[in-house]
Amino acid sequence: MNKKAKMLPAMMLTLALVLGGCGGNAAKNSPSDTPSAASGNQETSAAGWTGTITMYAQVYTPNSKNITGLKDQQMLQTVADEYEKTHPGIKIEFVDEEYKDYTQTIRVKAAAGELFDVFWGQWEELNNTFPKGIAEDLTEYLNKPNPYIADKPAWKDAMNETVVNETVSPDGKIYNINGDYVATAFFYNKDLFEQAGITEAPKSWAELIDTSKKLQAAGIVPMSQAPDYGWFQRHFLSDFFSKEFETISGYDKKPGISSLDQSVAISKGLLSTKDERFMGWWPMFKELTDTWKKDYLTADPGVAANSARNDFLAGKTAIMYDGSWLPENAKDANINFELASFNFPVLTAADTAHTTGHDTSGAVGGPNAAFQFAIATEQANASMKEEGKKEAVLDWLQFLGTPANVEKVVNEHGTFVPTWPGTKPNESMADLASQASKELKAIGVGGSSPNLSKNLQRIFGLYLSGNMDFDKAQQSVQKELDTAIKEYETKNNTDYSQY
Amino acid sequence: MKIIDKFKGSLTGYAFILPTFIFLIWFMYFPVYQALSGAFTNWDGFNPPQFIGLDNFERMLTDEVLSQSTVNALIWIVFSIALAVIPPFLVAELIFHVKNLRAQYIYRTLFVVPIVIPGIVTVLLWRFLYEGDGAINRILEMIGLGSLQQLWLGDPNIALYSIILMGFPWISAFNMLIFYSGLQGIPQEVIEAAKLEGATGWKRVFKLDIPLSFPQFRLIVILSLIGSLQNIIPPLIMTNGGPGYSTYVPILHMYNVSTVNGEFGYGMAIALVMFIIILLFTILNMKLIKSES
């Protein structure tokens, strides 16, 4: 007994040490109808609640001193000032912090009941990764009029319909408003192209391979980055399965491909290795990555992104596949070469038998940028229990969530494209914005479980680097898919046989 | 009555230590209790936990990532122990045999000074060194050994060893000082007697220094073993467990299932099993130290 008592502190301390060891926020960037602020929901604040609304706006944070890479932005502050003017007693306070692990930050703050009133929450994370119950279900409010949008019977009528439908949760709820679009493209160093005697950007897959080989032959590194499975699968699968898009997106009886659609398609053997198209692009993609510098092939894209981008901006590599934020990064880095871009090419029968010839250049980016704002529930934010506060916060979100404000805020930042009907992108984004104007018909997997994408990325990296053969990769991928849909089934009480 | 009087007399003392105990219980013991009880639940870290009995532990038995992580951890342990023991002991021997006491002090200090560099800085530095065009590959190129260049962190066959072997020349100042003090503790008459018997040079190291430093060896072996099981920073920062799962270790798995997947219950179950393993080693350590003392 005595001995045990003596050992108890050691035991406890050991456990504390074990547990103690375990305890960037880069987003994946005026219409004629100016909102009538006067017609706003002033009754809300008049209903009694006054105070400060906290908001974490990620890259749209105004007057930021702590978030890397933000220019001197003020638009969101201007919008907030307008709101405060018409809503005495309400103050909008923007959180100026950079969170290296945002998901964990949200978890911890929500668990402590200290989440921001309005917070940046990407739809996929709100639907699949964050705990259920941290964000208010906005569906009801999207179906009602927004007092700041004069001519729409419902708030969602002012939004991009496909985005709204595609970002719905497995249980049919909408947790955020989503106003911008990120585009992706191959950016290239024109000077290095000229050095290799290449005068034009590649227009087809074959030309892309050929260009890479020419660069290599000239002693220039064509590309060097972590090949993001989540991104590239969407280009290829959206093409190969384009004829099945209606089938896949129709399982949940709503437009767009939700995580439920993905899970059902996997369970039916459509988006799975049982269909040869699902991994039919891996060997042809390997042909491209065989020309890349091998450093980052097996790396986690999140870990390697900055190093790879720095290599490109320093002129060490000729091409980089990246998001529409890259031109801004290039300006900030004062690059000494001419930057240009080309879209992911349309595949032809000469490239692969699986192609349908569908243009999938816009399939990667989509509604995964920074104008994605959710409202904390009272479980995640104790101050939301204050009478009238939830209504006041919602009113602020409605004021912010108008086409005019979406356009102003998104365009000031300059790396994303506003998506709501009637909004116009910046001139500088015109080329990339053409992707956003295409119908969103992106197909991919990853929504069935929080770690499916990460695990597929690991297998993808091992295959591309030659550390795993195709058959083994295929088996491993199928195993991950099976595990993920089983997890989805358990978590959401889904019966796949119903579909 | 006497007992009550005695207790009254001690009240002041208890009042002084009470805040410490309150904080200790609140910040140390309560989280431990939470973790122990959480291991039997399905908990996302936010909503109320649901009791699921031994499900988490059953899942651990079929968790392939955990299996691979455990194998990696065992490899890590073996190497960690070797690196924690051999280089520091050799350096301690060298310093101990320096004739000039002032020079001994200077060498000792030189080996201890790097302790002030935070561990994370070392990890980041080595990540740069290991990069494809990092210092290691460049040096190999410069000295005509370009054929030995590797993707140190990108090749699943060597990434784990690259992480384990970072920190060359692997002289842990703490371990070196433990060995050094052990050597200082060898009685002078024993050393003189051994000299007369002809035990000099390596013979003396093997026949005298090592056997008489067994308590230090045991202590460092146990501490290294425990330390390597808790070592999350290098794989997390350098490779996040990749390529594939080649540098995944149980504690990283625990961290990822908890913070990335939001499966805190399962993470706690892994923590509990690790706690039991580490506890066993701690008990063993205590027994060994006790037996030596």
Side-chain angles (χ1 to χ4, degrees):
Chain A
M1 189 68 194
N2 226 356
K3 269 187 188 175
K4 280 182 189 171
K6 277 181 184 173
M7 272 167 53
L8 189 68
M11 293 180 192
M12 292 307 192
L13 191 61
T14 310
L15 180 59
L17 286 171
V18 170
L19 297 171
C22 312
N25 306 341
K28 289 215 209 191
N29 208 330
S30 63
S32 50
D33 59 323
T34 312
S36 151
S39 69
N41 193 2
Q42 294 184 46
E43 298 80 30
T44 307
S45 50
W49 191 86
T50 55
T52 301
I53 294 172
T54 57
M55 177 170 183
Y56 177 64
Q58 215 245 2
V59 299
Y60 295 125
T61 303
N63 307 310
S64 174
K65 291 179 178 62
N66 302 320
I67 303 173
T68 342
L70 285 199
K71 296 172 303 188
D72 186 21
Q73 290 183 153
Q74 278 148 22
M75 192 50 74
L76 196 49
Q77 187 60 58
T78 307
V79 174
D81 291 345
E82 273 175 45
Y83 185 79
E84 287 171 13
K85 227 180 274 176
T86 53
H87 296 76
I90 302 247
K91 185 172 178 358
I92 312 297
E93 186 180 273
F94 296 100
V95 178
D96 182 16
E97 285 292 334
E98 180 152 37
Y99 300 105
K100 290 296 175 198
D101 190 338
Y102 186 68
T103 306
Q104 199 180 3
T105 302
I106 292 294
R107 278 188 200 286
V108 171
K109 283 192 175 289
E114 295 172 356
L115 191 52
F116 320 110
D117 300 335
V118 179
F119 65 99
W120 173 66
Q122 292 202 304
W123 64 273
E124 259 190 308
E125 293 211 301
L126 289 164
N127 292 351
N128 303 311
T129 309
F130 293 144
K132 281 185 178 167
I134 70 162
E136 283 291 345
D137 174 15
L138 300 177
T139 319
E140 176 196 347
Y141 309 107
L142 262 63
N143 290 320
K144 287 179 182 171
N146 175 338
Y148 301 102
I149 303 172
D151 55 346
K152 303 284 181 195
W155 190 7
K156 71 175 182 187
D157 295 339
M159 300 175 180
N160 184 308
E161 189 192 359
T162 314
V163 171
V164 171
N165 289 322
E166 209 171 66
T167 57
V168 74
S169 77
D171 49 356
K173 292 173 179 169
I174 295 161
Y175 293 109
N176 71 8
I177 61 165
N178 190 323
D180 58 359
Y181 185 104
V182 55
T184 52
F186 287 98
F187 293 89
Y188 67 100
N189 180 325
K190 264 189 160 178
D191 300 6
L192 290 179
F193 267 45
E194 279 167 24
Q195 241 181 73
I198 303 161
T199 51
E200 278 194 335
K203 291 184 193 67
S204 67
W205 185 258
E207 281 182 28
L208 176 59
I209 302 278
D210 188 51
T211 299
S212 300
K213 285 178 176 168
K214 275 184 186 161
L215 287 161
Q216 214 177 9
I220 295 162
V221 177
M223 288 180 80
S224 177
Q225 64 184 105
D228 195 313
Y229 176 80
W231 286 5
F232 289 109
Q233 66 154 349
R234 289 170 75 160
H235 278 310
F236 288 97
L237 299 184
S238 304
D239 171 3
F240 294 2
F241 289 87
S242 69
K243 287 178 180 152
E244 283 85 358
F245 182 85
E246 306 308 329
T247 309
I248 296 168
S249 65
Y251 292 125
D252 64 356
K253 307 279 190 290
K254 293 189 184 86
I257 293 185
S258 63
S259 47
L260 173 64
D261 290 326
Q262 289 177 23
S263 305
V264 175
I266 294 168
S267 74
K268 293 193 175 302
L270 192 56
L271 290 181
S272 89
T273 61
K274 291 166 189 138
D275 189 309
E276 62 173 5
R277 290 173 296 174
F278 186 74
M279 282 178 70
W281 61 279
W282 284 39
M284 61 184 287
F285 195 76
K286 189 172 187 303
E287 198 187 346
L288 175 68
T289 58
D290 282 347
T291 66
W292 295 12
K293 197 172 166 206
K294 310 291 178 216
D295 293 30
Y296 305 123
L297 281 184
T298 54
D300 178 326
V303 172
N306 280 343
S307 304
R309 195 173 299 117
N310 290 341
D311 286 351
F312 175 72
L313 297 176
K316 291 181 184 175
T317 56
I319 309 171
M320 172 141 199
Y321 189 88
D322 210 352
S324 42
W325 52 80
L326 189 80
E328 281 299 316
N329 295 159
K331 264 187 227 165
D332 293 344
N334 289 322
I335 56 166
N336 55 4
F337 61 84
E338 196 180 342
L339 181 74
S341 68
F342 59 92
N343 276 339
F344 187 89
V346 177
L347 301 175
T348 65
D351 300 318
T352 169
H354 301 306
T355 186
T356 59
H358 193 68
D359 179 357
T360 60
S361 59
V364 169
N368 305 301
F371 199 101
Q372 296 192 71
F373 298 122
I375 295 177
T377 57
E378 56 183 51
Q379 291 81 16
N381 176 339
S383 73
M384 295 296 272
K385 288 177 186 159
E386 293 168 24
E387 199 168 336
K389 178 163 183 184
K390 185 180 132 182
E391 290 74 16
V393 173
L394 176 72
D395 189 62
W396 155 241
L397 195 67
Q398 287 175 320
F399 183 86
L400 173 63
T402 65
N405 284 335
V406 167
E407 182 178 304
K408 280 191 289 190
V409 172
V410 173
N411 285 346
E412 185 201 31
H413 179 67
T415 68
F416 302 123
V417 175
T419 56
W420 290 12
T423 55
K424 291 184 191 69
N426 273 342
E427 279 299 311
S428 61
M429 296 297 291
D431 286 348
L432 293 170
S434 68
Q435 290 181 18
S437 62
K438 292 188 180 81
E439 196 179 6
L440 268 176
K441 281 195 167 183
I443 300 174
V445 295
S448 307
S449 89
N451 52 356
L452 176 61
S453 297
K454 287 180 191 295
N455 293 346
L456 293 180
Q457 179 68 48
R458 289 178 193 276
I459 300 163
F460 193 52
L462 289 175
Y463 168 74
L464 295 177
S465 61
N467 287 296
M468 187 185 271
D469 65 29
F470 186 77
D471 291 343
K472 177 83 174 80
Q474 207 166 26
Q475 286 166 26
S476 305
V477 166
Q478 191 53 52
K479 204 173 197 174
E480 292 298 340
L481 293 171
D482 292 342
T483 306
I485 59 167
K486 200 172 169 187
E487 193 179 318
Y488 185 91
E489 185 179 29
T490 310
K491 275 188 180 172
N492 299 291
N493 298 317
T494 309
D495 177 7
Y496 294 129
S497 63
Q498 280 187 346
Y499 299 95
Chain B
M1 198 65 192
K2 266 187 181 180
I3 293 170
I4 293 168
D5 287 345
K6 198 177 176 184
F7 180 71
K8 275 182 181 171
S10 310
L11 267 180
T12 313
Y14 283 118
F16 272 112
I17 60 168
L18 187 65
T20 306
F21 271 96
I22 289 171
F23 283 115
L24 195 68
I25 289 164
W26 188 247
F27 289 110
M28 296 288 276
Y29 291 100
F30 182 64
V32 168
Y33 158 75
Q34 269 195 312
L36 287 170
S37 54
F40 302 93
T41 65
N42 177 19
W43 186 45
D44 62 9
F46 178 73
N47 293 298
Q50 304 155 300
F51 181 77
I52 53 167
L54 295 172
D55 285 10
N56 285 328
F57 298 94
E58 279 174 35
R59 180 180 160 185
M60 283 171 73
L61 297 173
T62 55
D63 186 339
E64 288 181 19
V65 177
L66 189 61
S67 310
Q68 160 126 35
S69 305
T70 308
V71 172
N72 292 341
L74 292 172
I75 295 169
W76 200 305
I77 287 168
V78 171
F79 275 85
S80 288
I81 290 172
L83 295 175
V85 167
I86 299 166
F89 179 74
L90 290 176
V91 170
E93 276 281 359
L94 289 170
I95 294 174
F96 184 66
H97 284 92
V98 171
K99 293 280 184 286
N100 185 326
L101 284 178
R102 184 162 175 76
Q104 266 196 34
Y105 173 78
I106 290 166
Y107 281 122
R108 236 168 41 214
T109 308
L110 285 173
F111 277 106
V112 171
V113 163
I115 277 182
V116 300
I117 300 169
I120 188 78
V121 174
T122 310
V123 171
L124 290 170
L125 178 72
W126 276 85
R127 198 174 86 179
F128 289 128
L129 294 176
Y130 278 139
E131 277 182 357
D133 51 2
I136 294 174
N137 279 343
R138 286 188 183 199
I139 290 167
L140 287 171
E141 184 72 45
M142 272 163 51
I143 59 175
L145 296 174
S147 59
L148 295 180
Q149 287 183 337
Q150 303 286 341
L151 287 174
W152 302 102
L153 298 176
D155 181 343
N157 301 310
I158 60 169
L160 180 67
Y161 301 99
S162 299
I163 298 179
I164 294 170
L165 295 173
M166 75 173 179
F168 177 83
W170 314 296
I171 315 290
S172 156
F174 174 77
N175 295 358
M176 187 270 289
L177 289 177
I178 297 265
F179 281 126
Y180 180 76
S181 61
L183 292 171
Q184 281 185 315
I186 299 172
Q188 198 56 38
E189 49 274 27
V190 175
I191 294 171
E192 294 301 328
K195 260 188 195 171
L196 290 173
E197 296 286 332
T200 54
W202 283 109
K203 206 170 183 181
R204 181 194 137 165
V205 171
F206 285 109
K207 298 281 185 190
L208 188 73
D209 295 352
I210 291 177
L212 290 175
S213 297
F214 268 158
Q216 285 75 28
F217 275 99
R218 283 173 183 153
L219 173 69
I220 287 167
V221 165
I222 295 294
L223 290 179
S224 306
L225 197 148
I226 293 169
S228 57
L229 278 173
Q230 295 177 347
N231 208 358
I232 187 174
I233 301 294
L236 176 68
I237 301 291
M238 291 176 104
T239 57
N240 197 19
Y245 293 102
S246 61
T247 59
Y248 231 73
V249 284
I251 197 158
L252 181 61
H253 191 43
M254 180 188 88
Y255 173 82
N256 278 335
V257 296
S258 305
T259 60
V260 179
N261 302 0
E263 296 173 299
F264 283 87
Y266 186 51
M268 286 170 176
I270 296 172
L272 179 59
V273 171
M274 286 182 68
F275 161 63
I276 291 164
I277 292 166
I278 291 174
L279 179 65
L280 291 173
F281 287 122
T282 308
I283 294 167
L284 180 68
N285 184 27
M286 287 164 71
K287 281 202 180 307
L288 287 172
I289 288 171
K290 201 174 172 185
S291 66
E292 285 306 324
S293 62

